[in-house]
Each structure stands twice: as C-alpha cells, then as structure tokens.
Amino acid sequence: MTRTPSRPGAAAPDPVAAPGDAEARRYEHRLLLVLFAAFGFVFFDRQALTFLAPFISDDFHLSHTALGVLSGVLALTWALSGLVCGRLADRYGRRPVLIAAVVLFSCFSAAGGLMTGFAGLLIARALMGLAEGAVLPLAQSLMVEASREQRRGLNMGLLQGSSAGLLGGIAAPLVVVWIAEHHTWRTAFLVTIVPGLLIAVWIARSVREHPPVPVLPDASDATAREEAAPPLREVLREVLAHRNIVLCALAACCYLTWFTVVITFTPTYLEDEKGFSSGTMSHVMTCFGVAWVLWGFLTPAVSDRIGRRGALIAFTVVAALCPLAVVYVDDPVLLGAVVVLTYTGLGCFTLIMATIPAETVPRRTLTVALGLVMGVGELAGGFIGPLVAGLAADVWGLDAAMFISSGGAVAVVLLALGLRETAPAVLRRRGADAGPAPGATPVATSEGAL
C-alpha cells in the first residue's frame, strides 16, 4: 500500500488516544461495529453448511469424506484469496476491495440454495471462499490502524473472535436449522443474500481508507506515500524473515485443523453417534457460539495484560479438551456447559492471525503478512485438515476426527513455546525492570528477524 505508518506495536505516544481527539475515537468505535458485522456474517455464511449438513445429506447422500471436501474447498479458495488480496488492496484500495468481497460472498452463499447436486454446491462454496478470504486481512489491517494501543488486543478479539461467535456460532445454528425445519435448507441459503448486501452498503457509507488520525505515524510517512508498492517476492522475503510470522503461520495450520474439524463434524456426530435430535444438536452447537463470543474477546484482552505468548499457551491447552468432551460427555446439558468452558481457541485465533503479526512487521507489509498467515493456515488446516479427518472418519469412525482436532491444539502449544513476546505493555514492563536508557528501542522492534 502507499501509506506507511510506523510499526503498529511501537511504544510511542498514541495519537488516536490523544486528549480531545473525539473524531478518532468515534471512528474507532464505528469501524469496530461495522467490521464486527461484516466478519460475523462471513462466518454465518461459512458455518451455515455445517449446521445444514444433516439436511443436505438426506438429499445428496453425502459421505463424511464428501462433507469434508465441501468444508475444505471453501478453505482452499479462502486461502488463495487471502494470499493475493493484499496486492489487490495495494492497487485499488482496501475499502473498495472489501465492499466487493462482501457483495460477492453474499451472492455465492445464496447460490448454494439453487444447486441440485454435490458438484454444483462444491462450485458455489469454492467461489464463496474466494470472496470471503479477502475480508479478514482487510478488516484486520483497517482495525489495527485505527485502534489505540491499549485497545488493540480487545478490538481485534471482538472483530475476529466474538463477531464470528455471535453470528456464526450462536445465530447461525438457531436461524438456519429453524428455517430448514420449517421450510427447506435451500431457503436457509437463499435468505443470506439480504443482510450481506445491507452490510456492503454500510461499509460504503462508514469505512474510510485511512483513519482520521493514523496510529503511530513517523517521519518517513510522507516519503513512503510516494513510493510504489515493492514486488510481492520482496515483501514475502521480508515478512518471512521474522520468526513470529513463520511460527504463526504454522500455528494457524494446526489451529484451523482444530477448528474446522470439530465444527464440521460435531453436528453429524451429535445426531448419528449420540442420537441427539436436530433441535438438541442446534442447542449444543449454540453453546459453541456462546464460548466463541466469550473467549473471542476475553483471551485477547487477557493477553494485553499478561502477554500474547502466555495467554496463547494457556488457553490452547484448554481448547485441546473440547473435541474430547464431544466424544466422552453424553448428557447434552453437561456437554453444552463443558463446551462453553473449553472452546477457548477462537480467541487464540486472533492472537496468531492478527495481533502478533501486526505487532511484528512494519505497517507497509502488514496486509501481506496477515494474508500469508491466514492463507497458509486455511490451506493446510482448513482444506487438508477436514479432508483427512473425513477420510479417517469413514475408515475408523467419527471419533477419529475428534482426536485429530485435539491433536491440532496440542501442536499449537508446542509451536507457541518458540514465539517472541510482542504485547507492548508487557515489553514496557520488562524494559522498566531492566532499566532502559532514554531513547531505547521501541517495544515492537524487539521481535527481530530469524
């Protein structure tokens, strides 16, 4: 992009939080609300297939492998989109690309209700993934640029974690299952176009390409605006020189395996293996959404205080227990309660896919870094993960899918041990304890290259 504020995590006076800067604060809050709705509805559309799978399977006679393919193809195209959206934003601007993405994914989601077979539904999901993949990295870069330092973790958690949980985890199972039971699963897909188009209009009216007061500007900003975007290969080389980015990309692969596998196969597991009714299943899945909302903002907020690395490790250990609860807890009420307490990973998503990368790389490479972490994670964890889990489920039963999901979270814990801390408040405390000299290096620059 052509605008280059300094590194978002740097410990410097925060202009957005400057006294009397009411416009910047209002814009920060308005932007959070708009992007909360946009990304939340992305996950409403994405998760609709999961909750409608038992109904679709009755029409299309889907195997566990086929269900994994439908989930995985969206992740595959989502990953490809995430890898290139940064360059599109560099050329055309983040705002117009975001608006186009919201309009397109809403149309392709509705198109799924018109398909008459597995192949058509597969194509509709693939096209929807291409559009949806651009939303998160663009929304993240807009949000981190407008966020005050002390709210950065919380804002990113609300944007990526709680929004998806509220709309994709709580609203989606209740709404789409109800529509499918009272009308058809096709109707449930078709009605998704309306809120998507309304959100696109809201973005067009409310979102700016840059905030009223840029976060952490530096003296090189004026020069940077005149420079052309560097070649993608050069940007990727610079981004991958940071240990945190490499580890975050690997952790995203494992965490998306945990997420996509447990969320894809749990509805079918609850109905086929535990004998739950559709209504009971939807209520248990709503508990996933409650936990999603709760931990989606609590985990990043806690990380603002205790550090990104420690929060990531602690909450991921708990998240590894959630797929095991699906297997071993038979009472639906108890299972719902355990899910609320153990489905903590979506807050960790925010840390590895947004906050840590944003506090690691310079602003000019931020969108590419976010797209890279998301794209690699979706490719391996979102596409390959459910495909492998579906094959394993067809051979060894659905228990195997849940064990694969839990194993993904365990792998994240091991990777997180190698991360370098980036939380500004934590690094400032460490610097104060060490007695830094005046003019010491800003906190965000402490995360060096490999």
Side-chain angles (χ1 to χ4, degrees), residues 1-3 27 31 86 88-99 138 141-143 145-146 203-204 206-212 363 367:
M1 293 180 192
T2 58
R3 189 179 183 90
Y27 179 72
L31 181 67
L88 290 174
D90 284 340
R91 175 170 295 185
Y92 302 108
R94 291 172 295 183
R95 179 175 170 275
V97 174
L98 180 61
I99 294 169
L138 295 175
S141 65
L142 287 165
M143 193 70 250
E145 189 175 294
I203 293 171
S206 302
V207 174
R208 306 180 185 185
E209 187 66 25
H210 298 286
R363 171 65 187 85
T367 304

Side-chain angles (χ1 to χ4, degrees), residues 32 36 39 143 151-165 292-301 304 346-351 354-355:
L32 177 60
F36 185 100
F39 189 66
M143 193 70 250
R151 284 182 55 92
R152 186 178 301 133
L154 177 61
N155 284 351
M156 300 302 277
L158 289 168
L159 166 60
Q160 184 174 352
S162 297
S163 66
W292 201 339
V293 173
L294 177 67
W295 299 111
F297 76 88
L298 280 181
T299 302
D304 282 338
L346 274 298
C348 299
F349 268 40
T350 303
L351 299 181
T355 309

Side-chain angles (χ1 to χ4, degrees), residues 50-70:
T50 298
F51 305 126
L52 295 173
F55 302 93
I56 299 172
S57 295
D58 290 343
D59 284 356
F60 294 166
H61 307 291
L62 300 179
S63 65
H64 297 314
T65 301
L67 181 59
V69 170
L70 284 173

Side-chain angles (χ1 to χ4, degrees), residues 269-317:
Y269 191 101
L270 296 180
E271 290 198 12
D272 293 353
E273 300 295 322
K274 293 188 178 292
F276 290 1
S277 66
S278 297
T280 301
M281 177 273 289
S282 70
H283 290 137
V284 173
M285 294 308 299
T286 299
C287 292
F288 279 85
V290 172
W292 201 339
V293 173
L294 177 67
W295 299 111
F297 76 88
L298 280 181
T299 302
V302 169
S303 79
D304 282 338
R305 296 181 176 272
I306 71 170
R308 315 301 186 201
R309 181 175 175 271
L312 177 60
I313 292 172
F315 286 108
T316 303
V317 168

Side-chain angles (χ1 to χ4, degrees), residues 10 29 97 115 135 176 181 205 214 217 237 243 269 277 285 306 320 326 342 385 409 414 441:
H29 298 152
V97 174
M115 301 305 163
V135 174
V176 301
E181 287 180 333
R205 293 174 61 89
R237 187 182 300 113
R243 177 200 296 180
Y269 191 101
S277 66
M285 294 308 299
I306 71 170
V326 174
T342 61
L414 299 177
T441 303

Side-chain angles (χ1 to χ4, degrees), residues 371-439:
L372 175 69
V373 172
M374 186 195 74
V376 172
E378 288 283 0
L379 182 61
F383 174 60
I384 299 176
L387 180 59
V388 171
L391 290 169
D394 281 334
V395 175
W396 295 297
L398 279 169
D399 284 5
M402 297 301 157
F403 294 138
I404 289 172
S405 175
S406 183
V410 172
V412 173
V413 173
L414 299 177
L415 289 167
L417 294 173
L419 287 170
R420 291 174 174 170
E421 185 56 64
T422 64
V426 174
L427 294 180
R428 274 199 300 273
R429 287 198 299 268
R430 291 179 183 175
D433 292 340

Side-chain angles (χ1 to χ4, degrees), residues 229-280:
L232 180 59
R233 181 178 300 179
E234 179 182 329
V235 175
L236 288 175
R237 187 182 300 113
E238 180 179 352
V239 165
L240 291 173
H242 294 275
R243 177 200 296 180
N244 275 5
I245 299 300
V246 175
L247 289 175
C248 282
L250 294 174
C253 297
C254 301
Y255 237 139
L256 275 158
T257 297
W258 170 84
F259 167 72
T260 56
V261 171
V262 73
I263 208 70
T264 297
F265 293 101
T266 293
T268 302
Y269 191 101
L270 296 180
E271 290 198 12
D272 293 353
E273 300 295 322
K274 293 188 178 292
F276 290 1
S277 66
S278 297
T280 301

Side-chain angles (χ1 to χ4, degrees), residues 184-208:
T184 68
W185 64 265
R186 298 181 184 279
T187 304
F189 276 131
L190 289 171
V191 298
T192 60
I193 193 172
V194 177
L197 295 180
L198 293 176
I199 290 171
V201 173
W202 194 10
I203 293 171
R205 293 174 61 89
S206 302
V207 174
R208 306 180 185 185

